Amino acid sequence: AASDVYKRQATRSAPAASAMQRFKRVSTHDESEPEAPRRPHQRHLMLLHTAQETLLLLLLGVSSNVFAYGMDKSIEQLVAMRARAAQEAGGFLPSYLLWSGSALVLCALSAACAQHISSAAVGSGIPQMKCVLAGGARIDHYLSARTLAAKVLSLVLAIGGGLAVGKEGPYVHISTCVA
């Protein structure tokens, strides 16, 4: 393509032109693309479009971080309540049973939320998100509000119950649901 550009330029130039001018590189952009706007109102429209995109991305980032902050605080509260209840239970055995029992209950609730509210909330969400972005799969209700609620609630319950679940994958899924 680049050699064609040089050939076209060379055939268009006058025979008396110097070698440098004959092989001067011409623009390789597609002629069907619109040129940069030259009128003042078109520049203002481009500036407005850029500002809108920036504002949208800023709102998306802030709202995703609000979800993440709320989830972290909820997890912190659940763990603190479990610890307080276990300490107030009395001896070693009641404390141990309360701590372990509350972990089992929270983890069971987490699984039930993911299964019954929205089954699309199961898993980390990254492999499914890759498929959706690649255009290779259409997963029903994958980015719905029900899936968002199930993912947030089940993640809070699972981590609050003591499961060693990574938050990064579910945060990707949550952020795309927010978007």
Side-chain angles (χ1 to χ4, degrees), residues 76-159:
E76 188 179 301
Q77 291 295 322
L78 271 177
V79 171
M81 286 186 331
R82 285 180 59 214
R84 192 176 323 113
Q87 287 175 350
E88 292 172 357
F92 174 75
L93 186 60
S95 293
Y96 177 75
L97 290 176
L98 187 63
W99 180 261
S100 299
S102 64
L104 288 173
V105 168
L106 289 174
C107 292
L109 285 174
S110 170
C113 286
Q115 188 62 38
H116 296 293
I117 295 175
S118 176
S119 60
V122 175
S124 76
I126 291 180
Q128 295 90 345
M129 198 62 231
K130 284 181 179 180
C131 288
V132 169
L133 288 175
R138 170 141 166 63
I139 304 171
D140 291 333
H141 309 292
Y142 183 69
L143 301 176
S144 68
R146 283 179 62 124
T147 302
L148 175 66
K151 185 68 111 177
V152 168
L153 189 58
S154 63
L155 186 63
V156 167
L157 291 171
I159 296 174

Side-chain angles (χ1 to χ4, degrees), residues 7-177:
K7 287 177 188 174
R8 277 189 272 143
Q9 182 64 28
T11 57
R12 290 182 193 157
S13 51
S18 70
M20 267 316 238
Q21 290 174 339
R22 281 191 310 226
F23 294 104
K24 181 181 167 189
R25 181 165 171 78
V26 295
S27 176
T28 58
H29 79 282
D30 187 14
E31 276 74 15
S32 65
E33 291 180 18
E35 291 187 17
R38 297 173 192 257
R39 295 185 201 137
H41 73 279
Q42 287 178 331
R43 277 186 255 136
H44 292 295
L45 287 176
M46 270 186 62
L47 183 63
L48 180 65
H49 181 65
T50 303
Q52 286 175 340
E53 285 179 347
T54 304
L55 182 63
L56 178 68
L57 291 174
L58 181 68
L59 288 174
L60 176 62
V62 168
S63 60
S64 295
N65 282 318
V66 166
F67 268 94
Y69 178 78
M71 289 171 57
D72 286 342
K73 285 298 176 185
S74 299
I75 292 167
E76 188 179 301
Q77 291 295 322
L78 271 177
V79 171
M81 286 186 331
R82 285 180 59 214
R84 192 176 323 113
Q87 287 175 350
E88 292 172 357
F92 174 75
L93 186 60
S95 293
Y96 177 75
L97 290 176
L98 187 63
W99 180 261
S100 299
S102 64
L104 288 173
V105 168
L106 289 174
C107 292
L109 285 174
S110 170
C113 286
Q115 188 62 38
H116 296 293
I117 295 175
S118 176
S119 60
V122 175
S124 76
I126 291 180
Q128 295 90 345
M129 198 62 231
K130 284 181 179 180
C131 288
V132 169
L133 288 175
R138 170 141 166 63
I139 304 171
D140 291 333
H141 309 292
Y142 183 69
L143 301 176
S144 68
R146 283 179 62 124
T147 302
L148 175 66
K151 185 68 111 177
V152 168
L153 189 58
S154 63
L155 186 63
V156 167
L157 291 171
I159 296 174
L163 286 180
V165 179
K167 292 189 274 188
E168 294 82 8
Y171 278 169
V172 169
H173 189 182
I174 289 167
S175 296
T176 55
C177 287

